[in-house]
Amino acid sequence: MALNRSKEERALDGATEVFTRYGYARTTMGDIAVKAGMSRPALYLVFPDKEAAFNRVIAHMDQRKLTEIAAVLSTLPNLESKLLHACLAWGLHGVELAAMHPDAADLFDLRFPAVRQVYANFQALVTELISDAVTNSHLEATPADLARVLVYGLRGLREAASDPDDMRRLVTTHVLSFAKAISA
Amino acid sequence: MALNRSKEERALDGATEVFTRYGYARTTMGDIAVKAGMSRPALYLVFPDKEAAFNRVIAHMDQRKLTEIAAVLSTLPNLESKLLHACLAWGLHGVELAAMHPDAADLFDLRFPAVRQVYANFQALVTELISDAVTNSHLEATPADLARVLVYGLRGLREAASDPDDMRRLVTTHVLSFAKAISA
DNA sequence: AATTGACAATTTTCGTATTAATGTCAGACA
DNA sequence: TGTCTGACATTAATACGAAAATTGTCAATT
C-alpha cells in the first residue's frame, strides 16, 4: 500500500483537476469521486462538503504557487526584478488557466472566501517585499495600501488584456512603473 | 413651444434617469416613455432601439463628465494634481452611482460597446496628459500602455474598495505612485 | 474500521403556458 | 402634410409544476 497514494491525495488531486477544468458550479462531487477513484460517500470522509473541497483546492494551488514564487525570489538581485517576477508568475497564472478552461471563470470569483484569501496572501507577500523601499520613498501611503493597489490593479488589467501575451505586457508596465515609484 | 424642452431632450433625460437607476436589463422602453412624457412609439422616433438609447445615455453622461473634468484640469498647476483630479472625478463617478443604485450594476459592464468607449475616452485623456512626462521618464512603455494600465488599474480598485471613501484612498495612492513613476 | 448502497432533502433542469417587452405600421389627429 | 399613437406580430422573459440531478447522511456490509 506504500506505493499507492493516499485517498486524501487522490481526492485533492481529483478535485483540483475537475474544479480547474469546469469551475465550481459545473462540477459535482460525483465527478470528483470518479476522478479520484473512490465512491462519493468516501469523498465526504475527506471533505466535509463541496465548498470545503473547493476551498482546499484553491488554498493548495495557491500555496504551491506562492512557494514556487518565493523560491525564485530568493535568487533575484533587487526589488524591481523580484516584484516583476512575482506579479508575472502570480498574475499570469489566472489568465492562463482561464484561457485553457473558459468554463472555469468562477474560479476567480471574489465572492468565494478562498479566492479572497488568495488575494490577501499575495498582498501580504507584496507588502513584505516593498516595506523597506516604501519607508525610503516619499510616498505617504502605507506599504499595505500600496500592495493592495498593486494587487487589485493587476486584477483590473485582466479585463483590459486580450490574451496572455497582452497581459504580460500590461503587467510588466504596471509593475515597473510601480517599482520605480517606490524606489525613488 | 419655445419654453418646453424638445422631445429629444425629454427622451434623453428620461432615459438617463431610468437607466442610471435600474441598469440596462431592468428598464423598459415603456418606463422611459412615461418618464419622458411621451408615447412609446414616439420614443422610437428619437432612438432606433433600446440599445441605441442606452449608448446615447452613456455617451452623453461621459461627455458631460469629461467636459467637467477638462474645465477643472486647465486650472490645476502640475501633472500630479491634474492626474489626481481626473482619476478621482472619473473613478469615483461609477462607484458613487453604484452605491446610490445597486440595481444598476450592468451600467459598467464592458460587454456594452458604449462602456468600452467610456474607458477608451478616458484612456485618451490620460494619454494626452502624460505624454510629455513619459518621454522624459526612463520607462520603456508607451504613453498609451501606461494610460491603459492606469485606467484599468482604477477598475480593479473598484473590487478592492469597500465604499466610496476607501475607493478615494486607493485611487489617490494609485495615482500618486503612478505620477511619481512617470515624473522621475 | 473502512467503505458504500440506498435514502431524504434540496437544488437544478426542463417543458410549457402565460405574461411582458420590443419594434413596426396603418391610420388618426392637428 | 407631417406628427404622433393604438393596435399588432414577433420575440424575449417569467411562472410553475414535473422530472431529473445533486447534496449530504447513515444503516448495513465487507
Side-chain angles (χ1 to χ4, degrees):
Chain A
M1 192 62 83
L3 285 179
N4 287 341
R5 299 181 308 156
S6 73
K7 71 178 180 182
E8 280 79 10
E9 270 182 302
R10 285 183 295 133
L12 188 54
D13 288 353
T16 302
E17 174 157 351
V18 182
F19 275 133
T20 55
R21 183 179 295 266
Y22 302 109
Y24 182 81
R26 301 174 67 130
T27 88
T28 74
M29 293 297 265
D31 296 337
I32 297 174
V34 170
K35 262 294 179 226
M38 64 182 66
S39 72
R40 203 167 53 79
L43 206 55
Y44 281 91
L45 297 175
V46 180
F47 304 121
D49 55 28
K50 183 181 173 183
E51 199 167 320
F54 182 75
N55 288 343
R56 284 277 304 276
V57 165
I58 296 290
H60 186 247
M61 288 201 305
D62 188 46
Q63 199 175 338
R64 275 174 54 92
K65 180 56 77 179
L66 290 182
T67 304
E68 190 183 309
I69 289 174
V72 176
L73 290 192
S74 62
T75 74
L76 295 175
N78 53 38
L79 174 61
E80 185 181 74
S81 58
K82 281 174 204 265
L83 265 187
L84 189 54
H85 178 266
C87 290
L88 278 174
W90 187 83
L92 279 165
H93 184 227
V95 174
E96 284 162 355
L97 207 63
M100 210 182 315
H101 301 302
D103 287 351
D106 65 2
L107 236 69
F108 310 102
D109 196 323
L110 285 174
R111 277 170 295 197
F112 288 117
V115 176
R116 286 202 303 275
Q117 187 61 48
V118 168
Y119 277 76
N121 289 341
F122 189 61
Q123 189 186 317
L125 188 156
V126 170
T127 304
E128 175 72 18
L129 264 184
I130 67 176
S131 280
D132 287 348
V134 169
T135 58
N136 296 331
S137 79
H138 291 182
L139 291 169
E140 301 212 356
T142 64
D145 268 355
L146 283 162
R148 199 147 73 110
V149 163
L150 180 62
V151 171
Y152 279 88
L154 282 180
R155 186 171 172 94
L157 298 187
R158 288 185 14 161
E159 299 195 88
S162 47
D163 57 77
D165 277 345
D166 194 29
M167 182 70 179
R168 180 180 299 273
R169 264 230 335 280
L170 291 177
V171 171
T172 302
T173 301
H174 185 40
V175 173
L176 291 186
S177 80
F178 183 87
K180 194 172 176 209
I182 65 172
S183 299
Chain B
M1 193 62 82
L3 286 180
N4 289 341
R5 298 179 308 154
S6 73
K7 70 177 180 182
E8 280 80 10
E9 269 182 302
R10 285 182 296 134
L12 187 54
D13 289 351
T16 301
E17 174 157 350
V18 182
F19 275 132
T20 55
R21 183 180 295 264
Y22 302 108
Y24 182 82
R26 304 173 65 131
T27 90
T28 72
M29 294 296 266
D31 297 336
I32 298 173
V34 169
K35 262 296 177 222
M38 64 182 64
S39 71
R40 202 168 53 81
L43 207 53
Y44 281 91
L45 296 176
V46 179
F47 304 120
D49 55 28
K50 184 181 172 182
E51 199 167 320
F54 182 76
N55 288 345
R56 283 277 304 277
V57 165
I58 295 291
H60 186 248
M61 286 200 307
D62 189 47
Q63 199 177 339
R64 274 175 54 91
K65 180 57 74 177
L66 290 181
T67 304
E68 191 183 308
I69 289 173
V72 177
L73 290 192
S74 62
T75 73
L76 294 174
N78 53 39
L79 174 59
E80 186 180 75
S81 58
K82 280 175 205 265
L83 264 187
L84 189 54
H85 178 266
C87 290
L88 278 174
W90 188 83
L92 279 166
H93 184 227
V95 175
E96 284 161 353
L97 207 63
M100 210 182 316
H101 302 302
D103 287 352
D106 66 0
L107 235 69
F108 310 102
D109 195 325
L110 286 173
R111 279 170 294 200
F112 288 117
V115 176
R116 285 203 301 277
Q117 187 60 49
V118 168
Y119 276 77
N121 289 341
F122 189 60
Q123 189 187 317
L125 186 156
V126 170
T127 304
E128 176 71 18
L129 264 184
I130 68 176
S131 280
D132 288 348
V134 171
T135 58
N136 295 332
S137 78
H138 290 180
L139 292 167
E140 299 212 355
T142 64
D145 268 355
L146 282 163
R148 198 147 74 110
V149 162
L150 180 63
V151 171
Y152 279 88
L154 282 180
R155 186 171 172 94
L157 297 187
R158 287 185 16 159
E159 298 195 88
S162 47
D163 57 77
D165 277 344
D166 194 30
M167 182 71 180
R168 179 181 298 274
R169 266 233 329 282
L170 291 176
V171 171
T172 303
T173 301
H174 184 41
V175 173
L176 291 186
S177 80
F178 183 88
K180 195 173 175 204
I182 64 173
S183 298

PDB file of all heavy atoms in Angstrom, chain A residues 28-29 40 44 49-50, chain D residues 21-26:
ATOM      1  N   THR A  28     -19.482  18.370 -10.035  1.00  0.00           N
ATOM      2  CA  THR A  28     -20.256  17.692  -8.993  1.00  0.00           C
ATOM      3  C   THR A  28     -19.325  16.818  -8.177  1.00  0.00           C
ATOM      4  O   THR A  28     -18.255  16.417  -8.641  1.00  0.00           O
ATOM      5  CB  THR A  28     -21.355  16.810  -9.606  1.00  0.00           C
ATOM      6  OG1 THR A  28     -20.753  15.642 -10.175  1.00  0.00           O
ATOM      7  CG2 THR A  28     -22.119  17.574 -10.670  1.00  0.00           C
ATOM      8  N   MET A  29     -19.745  16.510  -6.973  1.00  0.00           N
ATOM      9  CA  MET A  29     -18.968  15.618  -6.123  1.00  0.00           C
ATOM     10  C   MET A  29     -18.816  14.258  -6.807  1.00  0.00           C
ATOM     11  O   MET A  29     -17.821  13.562  -6.615  1.00  0.00           O
ATOM     12  CB  MET A  29     -19.641  15.483  -4.765  1.00  0.00           C
ATOM     13  CG  MET A  29     -19.626  16.772  -3.947  1.00  0.00           C
ATOM     14  SD  MET A  29     -17.971  17.329  -3.509  1.00  0.00           S
ATOM     15  CE  MET A  29     -17.788  16.615  -1.863  1.00  0.00           C
ATOM     16  N   ARG A  40     -18.597   8.250  -3.829  1.00  0.00           N
ATOM     17  CA  ARG A  40     -18.934   9.613  -3.429  1.00  0.00           C
ATOM     18  C   ARG A  40     -18.957   9.767  -1.915  1.00  0.00           C
ATOM     19  O   ARG A  40     -18.376  10.726  -1.378  1.00  0.00           O
ATOM     20  CB  ARG A  40     -20.269  10.007  -4.065  1.00  0.00           C
ATOM     21  CG  ARG A  40     -20.499  11.482  -4.199  1.00  0.00           C
ATOM     22  CD  ARG A  40     -21.681  11.773  -5.103  1.00  0.00           C
ATOM     23  NE  ARG A  40     -22.849  11.044  -4.671  1.00  0.00           N
ATOM     24  CZ  ARG A  40     -23.625  11.428  -3.653  1.00  0.00           C
ATOM     25  NH1 ARG A  40     -23.354  12.528  -3.010  1.00  0.00           N
ATOM     26  NH2 ARG A  40     -24.659  10.714  -3.291  1.00  0.00           N
ATOM     27  N   TYR A  44     -16.773  12.321   1.040  1.00  0.00           N
ATOM     28  CA  TYR A  44     -17.257  13.105   2.191  1.00  0.00           C
ATOM     29  C   TYR A  44     -16.510  12.755   3.470  1.00  0.00           C
ATOM     30  O   TYR A  44     -16.661  13.428   4.483  1.00  0.00           O
ATOM     31  CB  TYR A  44     -18.768  12.911   2.365  1.00  0.00           C
ATOM     32  CG  TYR A  44     -19.577  13.746   1.406  1.00  0.00           C
ATOM     33  CD1 TYR A  44     -19.967  13.248   0.168  1.00  0.00           C
ATOM     34  CD2 TYR A  44     -19.906  15.066   1.720  1.00  0.00           C
ATOM     35  CE1 TYR A  44     -20.702  14.024  -0.710  1.00  0.00           C
ATOM     36  CE2 TYR A  44     -20.635  15.844   0.853  1.00  0.00           C
ATOM     37  CZ  TYR A  44     -21.034  15.321  -0.369  1.00  0.00           C
ATOM     38  OH  TYR A  44     -21.751  16.080  -1.246  1.00  0.00           O
ATOM     39  N   ASP A  49     -17.783  19.074   2.908  1.00  0.00           N
ATOM     40  CA  ASP A  49     -18.783  19.359   1.882  1.00  0.00           C
ATOM     41  C   ASP A  49     -18.107  19.926   0.639  1.00  0.00           C
ATOM     42  O   ASP A  49     -16.886  20.078   0.598  1.00  0.00           O
ATOM     43  CB  ASP A  49     -19.869  20.308   2.417  1.00  0.00           C
ATOM     44  CG  ASP A  49     -19.266  21.586   2.978  1.00  0.00           C
ATOM     45  OD1 ASP A  49     -18.184  21.994   2.511  1.00  0.00           O
ATOM     46  OD2 ASP A  49     -19.873  22.176   3.887  1.00  0.00           O
ATOM     47  N   LYS A  50     -18.908  20.238  -0.359  1.00  0.00           N
ATOM     48  CA  LYS A  50     -18.353  20.666  -1.635  1.00  0.00           C
ATOM     49  C   LYS A  50     -17.551  21.954  -1.495  1.00  0.00           C
ATOM     50  O   LYS A  50     -16.466  22.092  -2.066  1.00  0.00           O
ATOM     51  CB  LYS A  50     -19.497  20.860  -2.647  1.00  0.00           C
ATOM     52  CG  LYS A  50     -19.035  21.226  -4.042  1.00  0.00           C
ATOM     53  CD  LYS A  50     -20.227  21.431  -4.985  1.00  0.00           C
ATOM     54  CE  LYS A  50     -19.792  21.967  -6.325  1.00  0.00           C
ATOM     55  NZ  LYS A  50     -20.940  22.225  -7.225  1.00  0.00           N
TER      56      LYS A  50
ATOM     57  P    DA D  21     -30.895  12.686 -14.898  1.00  0.00           P
ATOM     58  OP1  DA D  21     -30.059  12.581 -16.103  1.00  0.00           O
ATOM     59  OP2  DA D  21     -31.323  11.489 -14.137  1.00  0.00           O
ATOM     60  O5'  DA D  21     -30.164  13.671 -13.867  1.00  0.00           O
ATOM     61  C5'  DA D  21     -30.098  15.055 -14.183  1.00  0.00           C
ATOM     62  C4'  DA D  21     -29.503  15.812 -13.015  1.00  0.00           C
ATOM     63  O4'  DA D  21     -30.474  15.921 -11.944  1.00  0.00           O
ATOM     64  C3'  DA D  21     -28.262  15.148 -12.401  1.00  0.00           C
ATOM     65  O3'  DA D  21     -27.278  16.153 -12.245  1.00  0.00           O
ATOM     66  C2'  DA D  21     -28.756  14.620 -11.058  1.00  0.00           C
ATOM     67  C1'  DA D  21     -29.862  15.614 -10.720  1.00  0.00           C
ATOM     68  N9   DA D  21     -30.915  15.101  -9.844  1.00  0.00           N
ATOM     69  C8   DA D  21     -31.629  13.953  -9.973  1.00  0.00           C
ATOM     70  N7   DA D  21     -32.530  13.766  -9.032  1.00  0.00           N
ATOM     71  C5   DA D  21     -32.395  14.881  -8.232  1.00  0.00           C
ATOM     72  C6   DA D  21     -33.066  15.299  -7.061  1.00  0.00           C
ATOM     73  N6   DA D  21     -34.039  14.587  -6.480  1.00  0.00           N
ATOM     74  N1   DA D  21     -32.691  16.467  -6.509  1.00  0.00           N
ATOM     75  C2   DA D  21     -31.714  17.180  -7.096  1.00  0.00           C
ATOM     76  N3   DA D  21     -31.012  16.892  -8.191  1.00  0.00           N
ATOM     77  C4   DA D  21     -31.415  15.717  -8.711  1.00  0.00           C
ATOM     78  P    DT D  22     -25.804  15.848 -11.806  1.00  0.00           P
ATOM     79  OP1  DT D  22     -24.891  16.720 -12.566  1.00  0.00           O
ATOM     80  OP2  DT D  22     -25.654  14.361 -11.824  1.00  0.00           O
ATOM     81  O5'  DT D  22     -25.784  16.317 -10.296  1.00  0.00           O
ATOM     82  C5'  DT D  22     -26.151  17.658  -9.989  1.00  0.00           C
ATOM     83  C4'  DT D  22     -26.159  17.856  -8.499  1.00  0.00           C
ATOM     84  O4'  DT D  22     -27.374  17.278  -7.954  1.00  0.00           O
ATOM     85  C3'  DT D  22     -24.999  17.176  -7.766  1.00  0.00           C
ATOM     86  O3'  DT D  22     -24.242  18.167  -7.103  1.00  0.00           O
ATOM     87  C2'  DT D  22     -25.679  16.198  -6.802  1.00  0.00           C
ATOM     88  C1'  DT D  22     -27.091  16.759  -6.690  1.00  0.00           C
ATOM     89  N1   DT D  22     -28.143  15.741  -6.399  1.00  0.00           N
ATOM     90  C2   DT D  22     -29.010  15.940  -5.357  1.00  0.00           C
ATOM     91  O2   DT D  22     -28.968  16.923  -4.626  1.00  0.00           O
ATOM     92  N3   DT D  22     -29.943  14.950  -5.173  1.00  0.00           N
ATOM     93  C4   DT D  22     -30.087  13.801  -5.930  1.00  0.00           C
ATOM     94  O4   DT D  22     -30.963  12.982  -5.677  1.00  0.00           O
ATOM     95  C5   DT D  22     -29.148  13.652  -7.008  1.00  0.00           C
ATOM     96  C7   DT D  22     -29.222  12.434  -7.880  1.00  0.00           C
ATOM     97  C6   DT D  22     -28.235  14.621  -7.188  1.00  0.00           C
ATOM     98  P    DT D  23     -23.030  17.801  -6.132  1.00  0.00           P
ATOM     99  OP1  DT D  23     -22.010  18.836  -6.294  1.00  0.00           O
ATOM    100  OP2  DT D  23     -22.702  16.368  -6.327  1.00  0.00           O
ATOM    101  O5'  DT D  23     -23.682  17.931  -4.683  1.00  0.00           O
ATOM    102  C5'  DT D  23     -24.486  19.062  -4.390  1.00  0.00           C
ATOM    103  C4'  DT D  23     -25.112  18.902  -3.017  1.00  0.00           C
ATOM    104  O4'  DT D  23     -26.151  17.888  -3.098  1.00  0.00           O
ATOM    105  C3'  DT D  23     -24.132  18.439  -1.938  1.00  0.00           C
ATOM    106  O3'  DT D  23     -24.181  19.337  -0.836  1.00  0.00           O
ATOM    107  C2'  DT D  23     -24.628  17.027  -1.556  1.00  0.00           C
ATOM    108  C1'  DT D  23     -26.083  17.047  -1.984  1.00  0.00           C
ATOM    109  N1   DT D  23     -26.623  15.713  -2.411  1.00  0.00           N
ATOM    110  C2   DT D  23     -27.726  15.205  -1.758  1.00  0.00           C
ATOM    111  O2   DT D  23     -28.285  15.778  -0.843  1.00  0.00           O
ATOM    112  N3   DT D  23     -28.147  13.981  -2.232  1.00  0.00           N
ATOM    113  C4   DT D  23     -27.597  13.243  -3.259  1.00  0.00           C
ATOM    114  O4   DT D  23     -28.060  12.157  -3.589  1.00  0.00           O
ATOM    115  C5   DT D  23     -26.440  13.832  -3.889  1.00  0.00           C
ATOM    116  C7   DT D  23     -25.763  13.123  -5.009  1.00  0.00           C
ATOM    117  C6   DT D  23     -26.015  15.032  -3.446  1.00  0.00           C
ATOM    118  P    DG D  24     -22.914  19.422   0.200  1.00  0.00           P
ATOM    119  OP1  DG D  24     -22.860  20.779   0.781  1.00  0.00           O
ATOM    120  OP2  DG D  24     -21.729  18.878  -0.476  1.00  0.00           O
ATOM    121  O5'  DG D  24     -23.360  18.404   1.338  1.00  0.00           O
ATOM    122  C5'  DG D  24     -24.543  18.735   2.068  1.00  0.00           C
ATOM    123  C4'  DG D  24     -25.065  17.527   2.818  1.00  0.00           C
ATOM    124  O4'  DG D  24     -25.507  16.518   1.880  1.00  0.00           O
ATOM    125  C3'  DG D  24     -24.066  16.835   3.755  1.00  0.00           C
ATOM    126  O3'  DG D  24     -24.674  16.713   5.033  1.00  0.00           O
ATOM    127  C2'  DG D  24     -23.840  15.482   3.081  1.00  0.00           C
ATOM    128  C1'  DG D  24     -25.197  15.258   2.423  1.00  0.00           C
ATOM    129  N9   DG D  24     -25.221  14.288   1.344  1.00  0.00           N
ATOM    130  C8   DG D  24     -24.358  14.187   0.286  1.00  0.00           C
ATOM    131  N7   DG D  24     -24.648  13.200  -0.535  1.00  0.00           N
ATOM    132  C5   DG D  24     -25.773  12.613   0.024  1.00  0.00           C
ATOM    133  C6   DG D  24     -26.531  11.501  -0.405  1.00  0.00           C
ATOM    134  O6   DG D  24     -26.362  10.800  -1.409  1.00  0.00           O
ATOM    135  N1   DG D  24     -27.600  11.242   0.447  1.00  0.00           N
ATOM    136  C2   DG D  24     -27.890  11.961   1.587  1.00  0.00           C
ATOM    137  N2   DG D  24     -28.948  11.577   2.289  1.00  0.00           N
ATOM    138  N3   DG D  24     -27.185  13.006   2.002  1.00  0.00           N
ATOM    139  C4   DG D  24     -26.144  13.268   1.181  1.00  0.00           C
ATOM    140  P    DT D  25     -23.907  15.973   6.266  1.00  0.00           P
ATOM    141  OP1  DT D  25     -24.158  16.787   7.458  1.00  0.00           O
ATOM    142  OP2  DT D  25     -22.532  15.654   5.846  1.00  0.00           O
ATOM    143  O5'  DT D  25     -24.713  14.603   6.436  1.00  0.00           O
ATOM    144  C5'  DT D  25     -26.130  14.669   6.480  1.00  0.00           C
ATOM    145  C4'  DT D  25     -26.707  13.283   6.697  1.00  0.00           C
ATOM    146  O4'  DT D  25     -26.661  12.529   5.452  1.00  0.00           O
ATOM    147  C3'  DT D  25     -25.998  12.428   7.739  1.00  0.00           C
ATOM    148  O3'  DT D  25     -26.976  11.903   8.623  1.00  0.00           O
ATOM    149  C2'  DT D  25     -25.293  11.348   6.915  1.00  0.00           C
ATOM    150  C1'  DT D  25     -26.221  11.221   5.701  1.00  0.00           C
ATOM    151  N1   DT D  25     -25.585  10.745   4.447  1.00  0.00           N
ATOM    152  C2   DT D  25     -26.161   9.716   3.758  1.00  0.00           C
ATOM    153  O2   DT D  25     -27.178   9.151   4.121  1.00  0.00           O
ATOM    154  N3   DT D  25     -25.500   9.355   2.599  1.00  0.00           N
ATOM    155  C4   DT D  25     -24.349   9.919   2.087  1.00  0.00           C
ATOM    156  O4   DT D  25     -23.842   9.513   1.046  1.00  0.00           O
ATOM    157  C5   DT D  25     -23.798  11.000   2.862  1.00  0.00           C
ATOM    158  C7   DT D  25     -22.562  11.688   2.393  1.00  0.00           C
ATOM    159  C6   DT D  25     -24.438  11.361   3.999  1.00  0.00           C
ATOM    160  P    DC D  26     -26.543  11.288  10.028  1.00  0.00           P
ATOM    161  OP1  DC D  26     -27.463  11.850  11.046  1.00  0.00           O
ATOM    162  OP2  DC D  26     -25.073  11.407  10.182  1.00  0.00           O
ATOM    163  O5'  DC D  26     -26.887   9.738   9.848  1.00  0.00           O
ATOM    164  C5'  DC D  26     -28.064   9.380   9.130  1.00  0.00           C
ATOM    165  C4'  DC D  26     -28.061   7.891   8.851  1.00  0.00           C
ATOM    166  O4'  DC D  26     -27.424   7.643   7.572  1.00  0.00           O
ATOM    167  C3'  DC D  26     -27.284   7.049   9.864  1.00  0.00           C
ATOM    168  O3'  DC D  26     -27.960   5.825  10.058  1.00  0.00           O
ATOM    169  C2'  DC D  26     -25.948   6.829   9.161  1.00  0.00           C
ATOM    170  C1'  DC D  26     -26.450   6.639   7.731  1.00  0.00           C
ATOM    171  N1   DC D  26     -25.422   6.836   6.681  1.00  0.00           N
ATOM    172  C2   DC D  26     -25.509   6.113   5.487  1.00  0.00           C
ATOM    173  O2   DC D  26     -26.457   5.315   5.335  1.00  0.00           O
ATOM    174  N3   DC D  26     -24.575   6.285   4.531  1.00  0.00           N
ATOM    175  C4   DC D  26     -23.574   7.152   4.736  1.00  0.00           C
ATOM    176  N4   DC D  26     -22.675   7.299   3.761  1.00  0.00           N
ATOM    177  C5   DC D  26     -23.463   7.901   5.942  1.00  0.00           C
ATOM    178  C6   DC D  26     -24.392   7.713   6.879  1.00  0.00           C
TER     179       DC D  26
END
